[in-house]
Amino acid sequence: MELQAVLMAAGGGSRMMDLTYNTPKPLLPVGNKPLIWYPLNLLERVGFEEVIVITTKEVQKMISTDPKVKLDVKMKLDLVCIQEDADMGTADALRHIQQKVKTDVLVVSCDLITDAALHEVVDLFRAHNATLSMLMSKAHEFTETVPGQKGKKKTGEQRDFVGVDDTGKRLLFMANEADLDEGVVIRKSIMRKHPRMHIKTGLVDAHLYCLKKSVVDFLADNKSISSIRGELVPYLVRKQFSKSTNSPKVIDETHQNLKKNDKIQISSRDEELLHLTQERSCWNDHRGDMSDAYHGGRLRCYVHIMDEGICYRVNTLAAYIEANRLAPKLFDEPAVHPSAVVSERCLIGADSIIGASCQISDKTSIKRSTIGVSTTVREKVKVTNSIIMHGVTIEEGCNIQGSVICSNAVIGRGADIKYCLVGSHSTAREHNSKIAPEKRLTECHRAEVNITYHYKSITYNNCHKVSK
Amino acid sequence: NEGKELSKEEKQRLRKQKKQQKKQKERKNEKSETEKEKTPVSLLPPPRPVATQKAPSALPAPASAPIPVPASAPFHSSPAPSPADKPAKSKAELKAERRARQETDRAAKQPGSSSSGIKTKVPLSELNPVVKRLPEHVQVDDPAVVKRLAKKLERQQIPLRSDYGYKVSLFSHLHQYSRKAPLTQQLSIPSTVIHPSIVRLGLQYSQGIVAGSNARSVALLHAFKQVIRDYTTPPNEELSRDLVNKLKPYISFLNQCRPLSASMGNAIKYIKKEISNIPSQCKEEEAKTKLLTCIDRYIEEKIVLAAKAISKYAIEKISDGDVILVYGCSSLVNNILCEAFEKSRKFRVIVVDSRPRLEGREALRRLVQRGISCTYVLISALSYILPEVSKVFLGAHALLANGYVMSRVGTSQIALVARTFNVPVLVCCETYKFCEKVQTDSFVSNELDDPDDLMVTRKGKTQLENWQDVSSLGLLNLVYDVTPPDFVDLVITDLGMIPCTSVPVVLRVKNLDQ
């Protein structure tokens, strides 16, 4: 077996608490499919037959009953549960399943939506016998207005500095702005070996990593590393150029100590053959200095940077909205689900999706929106640029623009909602009527709007004001 | 012992013939004129009785047969289709019979010389029933052959790699692939059909990470070791038969990634022979360890020790004060020069390089790293520096049965110009690269590399960027060319220093040994 796929679905979605306080992140609907369906579909299309899914008990229960996942996903899912409150990082999760890992792994995050050609990443991993190979993409500006945000720029978003060599494939440097004190510090050993380095900042890390099995074993020994993206990857990138890795590297040694005696002999004889091959081959990955291919280093990290194509990580509200706009373009399924009851006198735009078992009444107009499963939309409703999740009831005469209405919400008659986020199970009444006392209430001020909305979780304090 | 070997060889031969007969019947139903015209020898072996006699060792085909037919397998079936089952015919009698028949056939051929190709080839087939086909990789412009190849690949579940770009008409019978469209695009990612180490190897071949005849063979054998290690015999199958069948799709896959070299072909033949020779009562673990040691021994003997032997002979030819010219990056020649330098010979080296591969830079780096003083020129400056040169050392990709040297494109130019300047040309080649093909020109069988390699970007501008739009423009990136033996003064092999024309003798000796 060449590669094992591991899907990380235990994250909390801490950057979009408005959406995830009720629904766990892997099951958020994007284009009427649960978020976790997208990476599973990617893996299935590429040819995987088994996936190890690391998730929480709650998600496990919901996945096993979710119709979309059960019907469409033909692969065998091996669900591994971890405690929700254990606060495990992705590397901790890998350590947790170390016994199941028998070969090199492909780690994917559950919030990745992409149409990338995975073989590019894996080919780098195979051809150069790399230790790490990852996928990155040029970031696109989000054009949609996000409900509840003042202005466009997100504050506190830290930049990532990624350094690649001249070919654009070899990863030389990776650091986050948060870890740097004053400036970007690049070691002389890197500059000596790769005098031309391109440093890029506008890249999105797709959180898709091909890791060698020895790395997973190394993680088992080094319990201090808890996040793949935050700690392991920068560590491996730095280790490429450390002096000790020119002799049998640290990672290799711990692995070899675990092997039996005869296996060590096998690997050493094979190493000799590989060394002989490299010696006799007239190929070098760089030119201009006197060193052998790869500068004699054994640890190599590669990155494939996508220029075109869709690659989103749905971990913020803005990304979620953008993904909902674009996700339907990935697959050509009919926009209107066959089981939806759509009356004749309504206008449904071409880029809208209507989910299963919906009821759309007369004189409604739905443009550039996603309507979830089992939603009821009454007459004379105008829905534009919005995301309506499952089980929502929208009464007559409503006007919803640029908003996100979470599942099971009720929008009263005549409500005019612009660029708001309505939490799940909440009700927006017609007028400023009284709300049940146990719920926290935040009011929204605007000339014609009469909504009040409230959240279940009392800890959430911010007011989502209308952006205009 | 020999009797047992014979029976095994016999069985294999008979199996082959039965297969050929079946194929003949199939092809008879749907053959085309053009196809027949292309194949030099027809494929109609007569029905043979079970116990025919054959010569115990391979008869040297070029020497005895009046028609030079390149032999494809080390086992040559006897050319005597005697209907009578005479068990113990001597070699001489067989030869005499064959010659007599050939003469009668030739006499019969004379009046009917204008007959179609089919008829003239029937008598030939009676003489030499070994199947002789033009290999598929040189018949790419024949749609029937391409269809056959596609069907074969489909059966083996290997994706077909499509040709790229406009091919120059003289070379339109060869494959031309693009490096930007790797074969792995059409494979599933955890590759189940093809062993992962073979997929890795194919990628390394197509991207040029493993380049050079020796490196490719060593990498191939290394990957085969992994395959053998991971192999388990399915129930009701014999390891000797099943493992060979398992290797066939892998070899097709590697062929699709990059056409196999002659050295790789010989290595594969050796392994297949070793596998088939495993006795059926051998246990699987034992068989596997035996095969692994065989592979290690092959590499050790044919590549590593051969290199040492060749260096020893070659160093005798290098004298102090020599100016040696080398071309491109040949691992063997670099080895020789480094060893000579260590044995304190005083010489300097001129490295000649050519586009688009510019392999000479790598050779230059390796030599200068050792401390050898080098000069670097491009091949266009060859005639200007040759007056300074005292010897030319060339590496070879393969040595053909008629004494021609197949090597990197440009080698024949170097040999030609060196001959004009009366500079001795020495070719260094291990014996495992000797191949039984016969070629007199570089057109028939060659390799076309990615034409986009010829594009150069200088100061941000690539002049040939849109070469595909110009209808009358074709880019040709040849990889190999063939040097005639008149330009080569000496071939240094691990068996000694031989003239170029002695290659068939070495081949014969090798076959006798096996």
Side-chain angles (χ1 to χ4, degrees):
Chain A
M1 237 214 309
E2 191 185 356
L3 273 183
Q4 272 177 293
V6 175
L7 185 61
M8 299 282 185
S14 50
R15 280 191 270 181
M16 38 185 205
M17 282 313 291
D18 322 325
L19 297 172
T20 55
Y21 72 94
N22 202 18
T23 334
K25 187 170 85 160
L27 293 159
L28 276 180
V30 174
N32 287 339
K33 301 188 186 67
L35 185 55
I36 200 175
W37 184 86
Y38 289 89
L40 283 178
N41 182 266
L42 173 71
L43 291 173
E44 190 171 345
R45 256 186 300 137
V46 161
F48 277 95
E49 288 172 352
E50 283 185 1
V51 183
I52 301 176
V53 182
I54 302 182
T55 179
T56 55
K57 284 215 170 46
E58 199 190 332
V59 178
Q60 184 194 29
K61 262 187 265 167
M62 293 173 85
I63 283 186
S64 45
T65 53
D66 189 297
K68 203 73 193 171
V69 171
K70 259 171 63 175
L71 288 175
D72 281 355
V73 175
K74 310 239 175 15
M75 303 185 288
K76 196 172 81 114
L77 298 179
D78 182 7
L79 291 149
V80 172
C81 291
I82 57 171
Q83 298 290 81
E84 204 173 290
D85 45 359
D87 197 20
M88 279 180 120
T90 37
D92 295 326
L94 262 192
R95 200 177 298 127
H96 184 77
I97 55 161
Q98 193 221 350
Q99 298 301 324
K100 290 191 184 233
V101 169
K102 307 262 184 294
T103 76
D104 305 333
V105 285
L106 175 69
V107 178
V108 189
S109 170
C110 68
D111 54 9
L112 175 67
I113 298 183
T114 180
D115 63 349
L118 271 196
H119 76 90
E120 306 257 3
V121 179
V122 182
D123 278 353
L124 282 174
F125 184 69
R126 289 166 175 153
H128 298 276
N129 208 8
T131 311
L132 161 75
S133 167
M134 54 190 283
L135 175 69
M136 287 192 140
S137 163
K138 291 216 160 75
H140 302 282
E141 274 293 316
F142 291 145
T143 48
E144 306 280 336
T145 20
V146 179
Q149 262 194 11
K150 304 180 186 141
K152 278 207 172 167
K153 201 58 197 148
K154 312 162 219 119
T155 50
E157 194 74 30
Q158 304 259 301
R159 285 181 296 176
D160 265 330
F161 293 95
V162 178
V164 293
D165 76 339
D166 233 357
T167 59
K169 299 277 174 195
R170 181 93 190 262
L171 191 53
L172 302 177
F173 180 76
M174 173 170 292
N176 190 288
E177 199 172 339
D179 300 328
L180 302 170
D181 291 327
E182 288 173 350
V184 174
V185 177
I186 303 182
R187 285 157 65 178
K188 236 198 273 183
S189 53
I190 308 181
M191 294 310 291
R192 231 180 269 132
K193 291 182 183 166
H194 299 268
R196 283 179 149 246
M197 177 157 60
H198 300 260
I199 301 193
K200 306 182 187 232
T201 48
L203 292 181
V204 168
D205 182 356
H207 208 285
L208 192 147
Y209 307 110
C210 268
L211 293 167
K212 266 211 167 121
K213 181 171 185 312
S214 46
V215 175
V216 182
D217 297 333
F218 165 76
L219 275 182
D221 291 336
N222 284 284
K223 302 213 195 296
S224 59
I225 298 185
S226 74
S227 156
I228 296 185
R229 175 67 180 89
E231 291 164 45
L232 182 62
V233 171
Y235 173 79
L236 288 176
V237 173
R238 270 199 315 270
K239 208 80 172 104
Q240 287 178 100
F241 301 104
S242 88
K243 292 204 181 100
S244 60
T245 52
N246 286 330
S247 42
K249 56 185 168 143
V250 180
I251 296 179
D252 240 3
E253 265 175 12
T254 54
H255 189 43
Q256 274 183 3
N257 288 338
L258 300 168
K259 278 185 177 165
K260 291 182 240 158
N261 268 335
D262 50 338
K263 279 198 178 161
I264 290 184
Q265 278 179 15
I266 292 176
S267 59
S268 66
R269 229 180 295 138
D270 279 354
E271 284 284 315
E272 275 175 29
L273 279 186
L274 280 178
H275 183 71
L276 182 64
T277 309
Q278 213 170 38
E279 212 191 330
R280 295 302 172 109
S281 170
C282 53
W283 177 84
N284 205 324
D285 66 325
H286 66 279
R287 51 183 183 86
D289 64 359
M290 283 299 213
S291 34
D292 291 330
Y294 307 126
H295 300 276
R298 288 148 147 261
L299 218 175
R300 300 181 271 279
C301 300
Y302 284 87
V303 62
H304 172 69
I305 302 182
M306 276 170 69
D307 280 332
E308 338 166 293
I310 306 178
C311 178
Y312 288 104
R313 285 211 53 216
V314 180
N315 50 11
T316 58
L317 190 51
Y320 177 73
I321 295 180
E322 191 79 15
N324 258 298
R325 291 283 161 272
L326 292 173
K329 301 201 176 105
L330 281 179
F331 312 102
D332 21 65
E333 280 178 4
V336 179
H337 198 274
S339 69
V341 174
V342 178
S343 83
E344 287 166 3
R345 292 201 287 166
C346 57
L347 269 172
I348 298 185
D351 29 8
S352 305
I353 313 180
I354 316 283
S357 325
C358 281
Q359 280 188 319
I360 318 280
S361 315
D362 292 336
K363 297 193 192 151
T364 51
S365 148
I366 300 178
K367 288 185 190 145
R368 294 190 83 218
S369 306
T370 312
I371 314 274
V373 168
S374 315
T375 310
T376 314
V377 179
R378 297 271 145 78
E379 287 89 4
K380 295 198 195 141
V381 169
K382 251 179 92 174
V383 180
T384 328
N385 267 347
S386 305
I387 301 172
I388 320 262
M389 293 200 205
H390 314 301
V392 169
T393 311
I394 305 183
E395 305 283 349
E396 299 137 4
C398 292
N399 185 353
I400 303 178
Q401 241 188 342
S403 310
V404 178
I405 319 274
C406 294
S407 43
N408 299 317
V410 173
I411 312 290
R413 272 202 295 176
D416 192 357
I417 304 182
K418 288 198 172 97
Y419 305 112
C420 294
L421 190 148
V422 181
S424 51
H425 293 284
S426 37
T427 315
R429 299 276 158 75
E430 310 178 32
H431 301 291
N432 265 341
S433 51
K434 272 215 182 120
I435 314 293
E438 67 262 17
K439 307 251 164 61
R440 191 131 197 145
L441 120 89
T442 41
E443 267 192 311
C444 192
H445 303 290
R446 210 182 135 35
E448 315 106 12
V449 170
N450 294 323
I451 332 174
T452 51
Y453 51 95
H454 46 267
Y455 291 93
K456 256 193 178 171
S457 86
I458 307 172
T459 54
Y460 200 85
N461 225 339
N462 279 351
C463 172
H464 274 244
K465 295 252 192 320
V466 173
S467 70
K468 283 217 186 128
Chain B
N1 191 12
E2 226 185 311
K4 268 193 204 156
E5 271 183 11
L6 279 176
S7 58
K8 203 168 194 178
E9 283 180 13
E10 232 205 79
K11 273 194 215 157
Q12 273 165 334
R13 224 163 288 161
L14 291 166
R15 243 183 269 141
K16 251 195 210 170
Q17 284 156 22
K18 280 191 198 149
K19 264 195 222 158
Q20 289 160 17
Q21 286 171 33
K22 261 196 218 162
K23 277 195 193 148
Q24 298 334 309
K25 286 189 192 140
E26 276 178 35
R27 202 174 291 118
K28 263 188 194 166
N29 301 338
E30 34 127 330
K31 64 187 168 204
S32 58
E33 265 293 305
T34 49
E35 212 182 30
K36 273 297 174 183
E37 276 169 19
K38 282 207 174 126
T39 52
V41 184
S42 91
L43 325 151
L44 309 168
R48 298 171 110 264
V50 177
T52 21
Q53 181 56 264
K54 63 210 76 58
S57 60
L59 295 170
S64 56
I67 303 114
V69 173
S72 58
F75 317 106
H76 289 215
S77 42
S78 150
S82 54
D85 294 32
K86 293 196 192 138
K89 264 195 186 167
S90 74
K91 225 199 296 190
E93 284 183 59
L94 284 170
K95 260 197 207 171
E97 259 190 341
R98 209 184 340 123
R99 276 217 199 89
R101 210 174 308 110
Q102 280 170 14
E103 259 143 53
T104 51
D105 291 333
R106 216 178 292 136
K109 231 199 285 182
Q110 295 298 355
S113 55
S114 56
S115 55
S116 72
I118 306 167
K119 293 206 190 121
T120 50
K121 284 160 193 161
V122 168
L124 277 177
S125 69
E126 282 184 357
L127 307 169
N128 208 340
V130 173
V131 173
K132 299 290 175 283
R133 274 188 208 133
L134 259 186
E136 288 159 335
H137 68 268
V138 299
Q139 286 186 275
V140 175
D141 49 353
D142 183 354
V145 174
V146 174
K147 214 168 63 164
R148 218 184 325 144
L149 173 68
K151 249 197 267 179
K152 176 176 109 165
L153 289 177
E154 210 183 330
R155 214 179 341 122
Q156 294 174 332
Q157 294 177 292
I158 293 175
L160 175 68
R161 199 170 182 193
S162 43
D163 283 1
Y164 165 78
Y166 170 72
K167 281 192 260 187
V168 173
S169 56
L170 260 180
F171 293 94
S172 57
H173 60 283
L174 298 171
H175 282 293
Q176 183 172 275
Y177 300 127
S178 166
R179 202 160 294 137
K180 291 201 262 295
L183 203 48
T184 47
Q185 233 168 4
Q186 303 157 41
L187 282 181
S188 69
I189 285 214
S191 67
T192 38
V193 174
I194 305 176
H195 192 272
S197 54
I198 302 274
V199 176
R200 168 174 302 171
L201 188 64
L203 263 177
Q204 289 178 329
Y205 282 163
S206 62
Q207 291 181 6
I209 296 177
V210 174
S213 198
N214 281 336
R216 284 165 75 185
S217 313
V218 173
L220 176 72
L221 292 170
H222 167 77
F224 276 177
K225 275 176 79 171
Q226 319 264 51
V227 170
I228 291 175
R229 232 177 256 134
D230 292 337
Y231 171 77
T232 45
T233 327
N236 303 331
E237 290 278 351
E238 263 186 38
L239 183 134
S240 56
R241 212 109 32 91
D242 189 60
L243 187 51
V244 177
N245 288 340
K246 274 263 160 46
L247 290 181
K248 282 197 191 138
Y250 300 162
I251 295 169
S252 317
F253 173 76
L254 292 175
N255 210 351
Q256 289 283 91
C257 290
R258 192 178 164 189
L260 296 182
S261 67
S263 53
M264 286 166 69
N266 287 343
I268 291 172
K269 255 185 248 163
Y270 173 78
I271 291 197
K272 282 193 175 162
K273 194 172 82 86
E274 286 295 315
I275 295 176
S276 338
N277 283 348
I278 290 193
S280 46
Q281 60 267 31
C282 198
K283 275 203 275 273
E284 187 176 315
E285 280 310 311
E286 226 183 280
K288 289 209 278 195
T289 32
K290 196 162 104 106
L291 285 174
L292 295 176
T293 36
C294 275
I295 292 180
D296 281 330
R297 215 181 43 221
Y298 186 83
I299 296 178
E300 186 65 28
E301 277 173 28
K302 307 275 181 183
I303 301 178
V304 181
L305 289 178
K308 285 205 187 110
I310 294 178
S311 309
K312 198 170 65 112
Y313 290 124
I315 288 175
E316 289 169 34
K317 290 287 177 188
I318 300 179
S319 25
D320 284 345
D322 260 348
V323 179
I324 299 179
L325 186 126
V326 297
Y327 177 63
C329 186
S330 163
S331 54
L332 191 51
V333 173
N334 291 341
N335 203 343
I336 292 175
L337 293 177
C338 295
E339 297 245 339
F341 190 72
E342 264 160 48
K343 299 228 163 74
S344 350
R345 291 277 198 277
K346 308 270 176 295
F347 59 92
R348 68 183 179 92
V349 176
I350 299 182
V351 179
V352 178
D353 202 6
S354 71
R355 278 198 64 225
R357 286 187 172 229
L358 291 171
E359 289 171 334
R361 297 184 295 189
E362 184 59 21
L364 183 68
R365 178 190 75 80
R366 289 182 193 192
L367 295 175
V368 172
Q369 200 180 31
R370 295 302 192 101
I372 305 176
S373 57
C374 298
T375 312
Y376 176 88
V377 290
L378 285 182
I379 195 170
S380 38
L382 187 60
S383 47
Y384 296 103
I385 47 141
L386 257 175
E388 301 177 8
V389 174
S390 58
K391 293 190 178 70
V392 176
F393 271 81
L394 297 174
H397 173 256
L399 241 61
L400 306 173
N402 55 351
Y404 279 63
V405 176
M406 181 183 228
S407 184
R408 183 69 79 223
V409 65
T411 316
S412 61
Q413 284 299 295
I414 302 225
L416 171 66
V417 183
R419 165 61 99 213
T420 328
F421 281 86
N422 279 325
V423 173
V425 173
L426 294 90
V427 170
C428 310
C429 182
E430 299 98 334
T431 47
Y432 86 108
K433 290 185 192 161
F434 284 22
C435 123
E436 285 160 12
K437 270 199 320 190
V438 170
Q439 241 182 287
T440 51
D441 58 59
S442 321
F443 295 93
V444 167
S445 176
N446 208 324
E447 187 187 328
L448 292 179
D449 209 357
D450 190 350
D452 291 336
D453 284 350
L454 291 177
M455 301 199 290
V456 173
T457 310
R458 291 202 179 98
K459 295 190 187 161
K461 283 211 309 200
T462 315
Q463 302 288 7
L464 283 174
E465 206 163 0
N466 303 315
W467 68 272
Q468 308 236 31
D469 302 335
V470 183
S471 56
S472 50
L473 179 64
L475 294 189
L476 179 65
N477 191 354
L478 280 182
V479 182
Y480 297 119
D481 74 2
V482 171
T483 312
D486 341 328
F487 297 150
V488 176
D489 293 305
L490 194 65
V491 176
I492 309 180
T493 71
D494 39 322
L495 294 177
M497 303 196 260
I498 57 174
C500 231
T501 44
S502 307
V503 170
V505 178
V506 172
L507 280 172
R508 179 166 23 122
V509 166
K510 238 187 1 159
N511 288 335
L512 275 178
D513 281 343
Q514 286 172 354

